[in-house]
Amino acid sequence: ATCSVDRFLMLWKLKNQCRAYRFAGHAEGVTSVEFSPDGQVLASASQDHTVRLWIPCVHGESSVLKGHTASVRSVSFSHDGYSVVSASNDKSIKIWSVCYQRLLFTLFQHTRWVRCARFSPDGRIIVSCGEDNSVNIWDTRSKTCVNSFSDYEGYANFVAFNPSGTCIASAGSNHTVKLWDIRTNKLLQHFRVHRAGVNCISFHPSGNYLITASSDGTLKILDLLGERLIYTLHGHQGPVLCVAFSKGGGNFASGGADAQVLLWKTNFDTLDYKEVLKHNFRRTHIDDPPHLLDIYPRSPHLHGEKLESVEVNPTFDVPDTRTPDPVVIEIRPSSTIST
């Protein structure tokens, strides 16, 4: 599922007969979209101040959740699929019931626009980031902010939990990616590998890799155990706005300001990337591996741009396997429930 400032939600069928379903309903650009964990519902956020819940079928039913007073920047499901959290330019975070299609509660503490909010894997806490340069941790039971990480270098565009729920990663407008341990409240890793703001990040299901999307036009894959950048991916013409691994981690998709969605196949679980680096030594320079006392370093490590990576450009490095443009089926909502 993809969304765009063209106001449409697109559902892509990736089997043999490639088809695309275009869902209309939002009055302004759609900023975020996510499948529920069971794949039965889609949630979307829009600049029209609303959150919508969609049944991804040919009838196009959707429910409109109203409550925000400004653009909604992100939307995300809880792990059990019962709740949705949304972040908005009205400086608030709202949690909605999917079953009852109503507002459950609102979280206030950010002093500027909230760009992203995500549930932890167990659903007990929420992480959010805003243009007030803070990353906040919320307890969903007490509905209070229990911790805050401040970054005076810039604000985070996106935040995400690792699969175990022990760490959060933030994508910085100041070109950095940071990993924080929420148990010890310490900065674990600090990557400065992009030349422009980082717009989105996604953890591999193993938790060992992190992929980043940046306005410098590249995607980068970070090996968190080896504390190194291993791949730089080219393909988009212009800023890369979003990226997400598939549920099993075998693929990932990226979307850019060039109005393209690229689907990539993951290979770093099956290939020994050290061998790949050896074969690409002319394009690569890797520092000696660090001595690790634990899975994660006990102190922050700043990774500068001296860490280069294997560069992958689909134009030159892989055969062109693009299929013809799919048949696009227009779907107008047959029923709308305003809540």
Side-chain angles (χ1 to χ4, degrees), residues 53-170:
L53 301 175
W54 306 77
I55 306 298
C57 66
V58 295
H59 303 298
E61 293 97 342
S62 67
S63 301
V64 185
L65 305 180
K66 295 180 180 179
H68 284 294
T69 57
S71 295
V72 189
R73 303 295 289 261
S74 82
V75 67
S76 184
F77 280 93
S78 58
H79 182 68
D80 57 16
Y82 294 160
S83 305
V84 161
V85 61
S86 58
S88 170
N89 285 359
D90 63 11
K91 307 176 188 176
S92 76
I93 299 153
K94 293 184 183 293
I95 291 78
W96 312 82
S97 167
V98 174
C99 299
Y100 300 105
Q101 300 171 11
R102 64 180 180 88
L103 178 66
L104 295 176
F105 55 92
T106 302
L107 303 174
F108 288 106
Q109 178 147 325
H110 285 287
T111 57
R112 299 189 66 182
W113 294 354
V114 190
R115 299 187 70 93
C116 182
R118 289 287 186 272
F119 277 103
S120 62
D122 61 10
R124 292 189 296 175
I125 59 177
I126 289 171
V127 63
S128 64
C129 63
E131 294 191 8
D132 54 6
N133 292 13
S134 68
V135 175
N136 290 345
I137 305 293
W138 309 82
D139 186 320
T140 57
R141 289 165 294 187
S142 65
K143 303 177 180 57
T144 57
C145 180
V146 294
N147 204 351
S148 184
F149 303 100
S150 294
D151 189 341
Y152 297 104
E153 299 173 11
Y155 59 82
N157 288 312
F158 195 92
V159 282
F161 279 95
N162 69 340
S164 67
T166 58
C167 299
I168 56 171
S170 62

Side-chain angles (χ1 to χ4, degrees), residues 276-289:
V276 176
L277 295 173
K278 193 181 297 182
H279 290 301
N280 288 271
F281 69 96
R282 292 179 183 174
R283 296 193 285 174
T284 285
H285 170 73
I286 294 291
D287 287 350
D288 292 334

Side-chain angles (χ1 to χ4, degrees), residues 1-12 21-24 26 28-37 39-47 50-56 61-62 72-78 84-87 115-118 158 200-202 241-245 253-255 261:
T2 62
C3 62
S4 168
V5 292
D6 65 8
R7 301 177 297 168
F8 296 118
L9 215 67
M10 297 285 287
L11 197 60
W12 305 84
Y21 300 86
R22 181 184 287 133
F23 290 83
H26 281 295
E28 295 186 43
V30 190
T31 55
S32 177
V33 64
E34 185 173 280
F35 271 106
S36 61
Q40 300 300 307
V41 182
L42 276 169
S44 61
S46 172
Q47 294 169 350
T50 69
V51 171
R52 279 184 182 249
L53 301 175
W54 306 77
I55 306 298
E61 293 97 342
S62 67
V72 189
R73 303 295 289 261
S74 82
V75 67
S76 184
F77 280 93
S78 58
V84 161
V85 61
S86 58
R115 299 187 70 93
C116 182
R118 289 287 186 272
F158 195 92
C200 191
I201 49 182
S202 180
L241 303 178
C242 58
V243 66
F245 274 109
S254 60
V261 176

